[in-house]
Structures are given as C-alpha cells and as structure tokens.
Amino acid sequence: MHKPGARQAVLTYILIGAILIVFMVPIYLILASSLKPSVDMFSRPPSLFFKPTLQHYIDLFTLRPFVSNIANSLIVTLGSTAFSVSVGSLGAFALSRIRHRRIDDAAFWILSMRMFPPIAVVVPYYIIFKAIGLLDTPLALIIVYSTANIPLTVWLMKGFFDEVPEALEEAAQVDGYGIVEIFWRISLPLAAPGLAVCAVFCFIFSWNEFLFALMLTGSSAQTVTVAVMSFWSSDAVQWGQIMAGSFIILIPGVIFVLTCQKWLVKGLTLGSVK
Amino acid sequence: MGYVTRRNRTIATAFLLPTVAVLFLTTIYPMLYALYLSFRNYDLAKPFIPRIFVGLANYSEVLTSDTFLHSLLITFKLMAMTLVVQFVLGVAMALLVTQRLPGMAVIRTLLLIPMMISPVIVGLVWLFLYFPELGYLNYFLGMVGIDPIPWITSTQWSLTAIAIADIWQWTPFVMMGTAAALQSLSPEPYEAARIDGNSSVDVFLYVTLPQLRPVLISLLFLRAIDAFKIYDIIYVLTKGGPGDATETIALYIYRQSFTFWRMGVGAAASFVSLIVISVLITLFFKSMQKSAAAR
C-alpha cells in the first residue's frame, strides 16, 4: 500500500475514529456499568464521572456462588483444552505424515465436525447424558467442548506439522528412533508454538460457550456464562452484577487479542486466509 | 514415499485413531441418535410412553409447517442482513486500517476485541443498550433527533436489533481477514494503475477487489455457516420473540425440543438444518481448495 497524503490521512483518522467509538462504546459500558452505583446505572445524561464502587463485584462474590461458577468454568475449560490438544495433535501428526490421496478429505471431514450447529445435537446429548448420569457434571461439558476443540486442533496443528522438515525426522529414523519417539522428541517440540495457539483457541471457545452449558448443566456444574445470564431472570435485573460478571468473563479473550493477535487470523479463518 | 515406511504407517494410522474414535463417539453417534429420534414420537415430558415409530411423520410435519418455513425464512433474512453489512463495512474498515499511518496497528488490535467476547455477553450489553425506556441507545439517537425505537419489543425492529449486535461482533472478523489479505497483495499492479492515472475507486474495483475475491468468498462461507447457527444473542435479546419474529431454525429446534418437549420433531428439524449447513460447509471447502490451488 502506498503512503497516503495529508488530506487522505486526516479523512482516514476521522472515519476510523468514528468507527472506533462505535465499536468500543459497548465494551466501555460493560466496565463502566460494573463500577457504577446502581442509582447511576441509567442516569441521563450517562454519568461519565461517577464515584466508582466495587460493590457489584463484592456482591457477585459474596451473594452468589460465582467462585464455584468460575471453578466449574476452569475445570471444564482446562479439562477440554488438555484433552483436545493431546488427542488432536496426535491426529494432526498422522494427517500431516500419511501420504494418501484421500488424506485431505479426511482432514476436511474432521474439520466439518466442528461446523455443525450445536443445537442439532443438543437433544441427543441431553438424552444420552441423562441416561448415563452425566447431566450437570463438568465431565459432560468437557466431552461436548472437545467435539469442537479436537477438530480445530487437528486442523491447525496439521499446518504446524506440515512445516516441520521431514528431513529431520528421516535423520532421526536413521539414528534408530521409532515413530513415537520421532513424534515426541522431534516433531512435537518443533511444533510447540502451534500447541500454544491451539490451547488458547480451545480455552477461549470453552470459556465463552453458552448453549451447551445452558442445556446440560443445572446448579452444580453451572459455568460463568450461564450464571451471568441467570442474574437476568431473577425478579429485579441486577445490571451491576451482570456487568461485573461480564467483565470478568471477557478478560481472557481481551488478553488473547492483545498478546497474540497474529494467530487470530489463522485460527479464526481456519487457515483460509494466510 | 518419504520416511514413513509401511510399519510406521500402521503406527501413524494409530495416531489418528483416538481422534476418529472420540469424534465418532461424541459427534457421529449423537447425530445417528438424532436420526433415530427423528423417526419416533418422543415426548420427553412423558418418558414412560413408548417411543413409537412414526415413519416420516415428523419430517412431513416439519417441512409443511408454517412455523418451520417461517423460521427458515427468518434465518436467511438475518443471514442476508448481517452478511451484507459485515462485508461492506468490514472491507471498508480493512481499507482504512491498512493505510500506512501511525497508530493503525493499535487501532487494528482494539477493533478485534468484539470477536473474542462471549456471544452471551454481547447479547447482554446490547440488551442493556436496547432496554425499553432506560437503554442508552435511544438516548444517543435522541441526541441526533431520532425518535425512540422499540428495539426488542416490536416485531418490526427485533430482527434488526439482533442483526446489529451480530454485526457489531463479527464485522471485525471480515476486517481482519480482508486486512490480512490486503497486506499480502503484491504492490506492482497498484503502482502500474496509479501511474496510468486511475482514480482510487477504479483501482479498488479493478485491481484490489479481484485479488481479494478468493479470500472474501472463504470468509463469506465462514460467516454464512456461523450466521446459520446463531443462537446465543437471540436467546438473550428476544428468545425468538416477540411472537415468532426472531425465531430462527436454532430457536425453532430449541422450542420444539425443550418448550414443547417434542424431541422427535426437534430432531427432524435438526436433520433438515444439518443438510442445509452441509451444503454451506462443502462450498466453503471447495472455495478453500480453490484458493489454495491459486497460491
């Protein structure tokens, strides 16, 4: 791209400034409202300078079982991430190394498992988990989230393994390494950045998920997203607590964007954009 | 052949086994179970009544019911509304944020945040903005002289309200993908076009856009697949209402299964939607292979 002239630069900044305001206002509102006393919540004009209070956060953690919601979310999220990354990177290695003309089809088939609408399988999950007594347990969500996380891991890790030079692996084989050793001691360490990227994507997806958590958990395995939504359905809407909870939930995603945005493109477009 | 000899290939296949086994148990099996349910009369509220085989009755009910066809229409209407705005706005934003100006990298990063926010939270903050009487959106609109709009309480506006929330969350995705593609374009055609004295609009239409086409098509299918599944934001904002004004396929399946407990009908509708989405997924893969081949 060429370097814009002064007039074009001013115009660009004006337009982008307006866009930035539109896209940032809702995020600012979450933070501001979580710190606003309830009386100021909808004050006209919106009070830009209010006396911030941590009351909503205190209420959230003392009046609600939000600590156990966070614990549930973390168990589910970390459990599914660990499981998906382990299973998925094995599968990805195989797909990357097997030479067969149908291997791309297999990779697409695995990826397609991630793209089906969750609502279409939630009924069978509900019935099956009810029958085997897993309804309202973190294990149920770990299993369900892995159905989305494993395909993504396989797909992304395949790209990372493809970039590990096979010559290194061949050399290791000459030295008497078996394929398991080659995977574990050569290829996996070289594809380690990919593991981190996959883990982060699995984490964010599981942490943010709502539909399955809503349908498959009751009070004991309730995750943060379902909990925050439940503050709404009580008699009086607790906007302060909703916003405080929302702010806590959005923290991991924001950290992800700020620290490793270069991987966002690859992960979210499933590699269709370089 | 590479270093993977026949013996090793057996092991390599075994590497694939856990993935395939897990996906079979957790995805294929539930889908087959849904297929089984879709041929049965299954009322979850009355679990002791035998699940009688009803043949294609659930499918014929789904495919001839006005509610289902209406939900299909709503789904595609929402898809059209969100995709058009997301792509026009997203491409425009990409053109802005890829200008070589100070501060653009930071702005680009900030604009990516909405995508990574849980859709429930997106729904909740827009509910806060739309909230009848109190919400700030009508207040802001009032400042520029627009009368209050009954965002989520009227059948006329509720679908637009949902579309706006989805547009807010996913326009950055189109921007991000397009910006990445723009930055990898080769500069020569631009210089040539500029030397020839073409206007920037012409350069965009005849030089940039054709080069962006494969990426835009891939992004379009990805967004369409997601738009087809949209659930969380609707659940938070309108739960499919008022009436059935925002009842997409996902909401229809939810209502049949968990409000009326008619699992068989819900499962049949699920299968119809699986067929539609399979078409979209296949088209996406085709577009991906095509653009990979073009590289």
Side-chain angles (χ1 to χ4, degrees):
Chain A
M1 298 259 111
H2 70 121
K3 228 177 157 66
R7 245 185 59 208
Q8 199 189 341
V10 171
L11 190 65
T12 303
Y13 280 123
I14 291 173
L15 286 174
I16 211 77
I19 289 166
L20 203 56
I21 289 171
V22 170
F23 278 89
M24 291 301 117
V25 158
I27 296 168
Y28 167 77
L29 270 180
I30 293 174
L31 179 61
S33 312
S34 76
L35 297 170
K36 258 183 204 180
S38 294
V39 286
D40 286 343
M41 200 56 73
F42 291 104
S43 58
R44 302 287 152 93
S47 47
L48 276 179
F49 304 101
F50 50 89
K51 205 164 162 271
T53 167
L54 286 177
Q55 194 56 47
H56 301 307
Y57 289 90
I58 293 166
D59 289 348
L60 186 63
F61 284 106
T62 54
L63 305 178
R64 310 258 186 193
F66 205 64
V67 175
S68 87
N69 296 140
I70 292 181
N72 283 332
S73 275
L74 283 177
I75 293 169
V76 168
T77 299
L78 295 174
S80 174
T81 302
F83 181 65
S84 307
V85 169
S86 321
V87 172
S89 52
L90 288 174
F93 184 67
L95 285 184
S96 169
R97 290 298 176 260
I98 299 171
R99 295 277 174 275
H100 192 276
R101 65 195 166 82
R102 318 259 331 151
I103 210 72
D104 272 358
D105 294 345
F108 280 136
W109 178 80
I110 289 170
L111 183 62
S112 75
M113 292 294 111
R114 178 200 169 76
M115 302 172 127
F116 285 113
I119 191 78
V121 283
V122 78
V123 170
Y125 277 140
Y126 183 87
I127 297 169
I128 294 166
F129 285 137
K130 204 177 154 116
I132 57 177
L134 281 183
L135 219 49
D136 200 14
T137 63
L139 186 58
L141 289 185
I142 291 178
I143 295 169
V144 172
Y145 293 170
S146 300
T147 64
N149 287 337
I150 290 175
L152 182 72
T153 306
V154 169
W155 187 254
L156 292 180
M157 280 307 287
K158 181 180 178 296
F160 283 95
F161 282 128
D162 284 345
E163 285 175 19
V164 172
E166 276 191 47
L168 278 177
E169 297 173 356
E170 278 168 40
Q173 198 192 27
V174 172
D175 289 347
Y177 279 42
I179 190 118
V180 176
E181 279 174 297
I182 293 177
F183 169 75
W184 186 247
R185 296 172 62 172
I186 312 252
S187 315
L188 196 62
L190 286 171
L195 283 181
V197 173
C198 292
V200 172
F201 271 105
C202 294
F203 186 97
I204 300 287
F205 167 80
S206 312
W207 178 262
N208 283 349
E209 207 280 336
F210 174 70
L211 171 61
F212 286 126
L214 177 72
M215 310 279 196
L216 303 177
T217 67
S219 52
S220 65
Q222 197 178 54
T223 60
V224 281
T225 49
V226 182
V228 166
M229 186 62 208
S230 75
F231 303 166
W232 161 258
S233 35
S234 34
D235 306 328
V237 186
Q238 299 289 339
W239 278 116
Q241 290 176 38
I242 288 179
M243 292 306 182
S246 298
F247 187 71
I248 291 170
I249 296 172
L250 65 80
I251 290 172
V254 173
I255 293 176
F256 182 29
V257 170
L258 298 181
T259 53
C260 35
Q261 53 144 317
K262 71 168 175 166
W263 299 112
L264 270 180
V265 187
K266 205 182 172 117
L268 285 176
T269 64
L270 303 171
S272 63
V273 177
K274 267 195 281 188
Chain B
M1 193 71 241
Y3 79 97
V4 184
T5 59
R6 187 180 294 164
R7 184 183 68 92
N8 285 344
R9 199 198 268 184
T10 325
I11 305 170
T13 314
F15 275 63
L16 199 55
L17 200 65
T19 299
V20 174
V22 171
L23 287 181
F24 183 84
L25 275 176
T26 59
T27 311
I28 305 295
Y29 175 68
M31 280 185 189
L32 291 175
Y33 192 71
L35 188 64
Y36 160 85
L37 283 178
S38 69
F39 294 109
R40 308 260 145 181
N41 187 359
Y42 187 9
D43 185 336
L44 202 64
K46 300 171 195 144
F48 301 110
I49 293 177
R51 304 159 194 181
I52 4 163
F53 179 76
V54 293
L56 291 170
N58 290 331
Y59 286 94
S60 74
E61 178 183 336
V62 163
L63 291 172
T64 55
S65 89
D66 286 345
T67 355
F68 179 76
L69 297 177
H70 178 264
S71 74
L72 204 60
L73 181 75
I74 294 288
T75 307
F76 283 111
K77 221 167 137 181
L78 186 62
M79 194 189 270
M81 283 161 87
T82 53
L83 292 190
V84 167
V85 181
Q86 282 165 4
F87 276 79
V88 172
L89 192 59
V91 171
M93 280 162 64
L95 290 171
L96 289 173
V97 298
T98 47
Q99 311 253 345
R100 281 197 295 178
L101 290 167
M104 281 302 165
V106 180
I107 290 168
R108 228 166 24 225
T109 308
L110 286 176
L111 286 173
L112 296 180
I113 294 175
M115 283 190 294
M116 285 290 109
I117 297 178
S118 172
V120 189
I121 308 303
V122 173
L124 283 168
V125 70
W126 281 94
L127 185 63
F128 182 79
L129 281 161
Y130 290 142
F131 209 63
E133 314 294 329
L134 299 170
Y136 279 134
L137 186 59
N138 278 339
Y139 172 78
F140 292 138
L141 292 176
M143 293 197 301
V144 289
I146 297 173
D147 286 339
I149 291 168
W151 289 107
I152 50 175
T153 49
S154 81
T155 49
Q156 196 193 344
W157 285 97
S158 50
L159 199 62
T160 312
I162 287 161
I164 292 174
D166 190 70
I167 288 165
W168 178 81
Q169 178 160 38
W170 290 107
T171 301
F173 171 79
V174 180
M175 178 198 84
M176 175 191 75
T178 313
L182 276 173
Q183 284 167 330
S184 67
L185 294 185
S186 67
E188 289 95 24
Y190 291 96
E191 278 149 25
R194 215 168 298 282
I195 291 162
D196 291 347
N198 292 300
S199 75
S200 9
V201 178
D202 282 347
V203 174
F204 174 72
L205 285 180
Y206 301 111
V207 183
T208 316
L209 210 51
Q211 293 191 74
L212 288 179
R213 229 179 77 126
V215 165
L216 288 178
I217 289 173
S218 290
L219 295 177
L220 189 70
F221 284 122
L222 277 174
R223 282 307 312 140
I225 290 166
D226 269 358
F228 193 78
K229 298 190 284 192
I230 179 171
Y231 177 85
D232 299 2
I233 289 180
I234 305 179
Y235 179 87
V236 177
L237 285 177
T238 63
K239 293 209 167 54
D244 57 4
T246 54
E247 187 175 295
T248 58
I249 291 187
L251 268 288
Y252 173 87
I253 296 171
Y254 171 76
R255 277 189 179 176
Q256 291 296 330
S257 307
F258 291 96
T259 308
F260 309 129
W261 299 112
R262 302 172 71 208
M263 299 300 193
V265 176
S270 301
F271 256 83
V272 176
S273 77
L274 283 180
I275 293 167
V276 177
I277 204 132
S278 303
V279 174
L280 288 173
I281 292 173
T282 313
L283 290 171
F284 168 65
F285 289 156
K286 287 248 156 68
S287 81
M288 254 179 117
Q289 279 172 321
K290 224 172 167 178
S291 71
R295 265 175 215 156

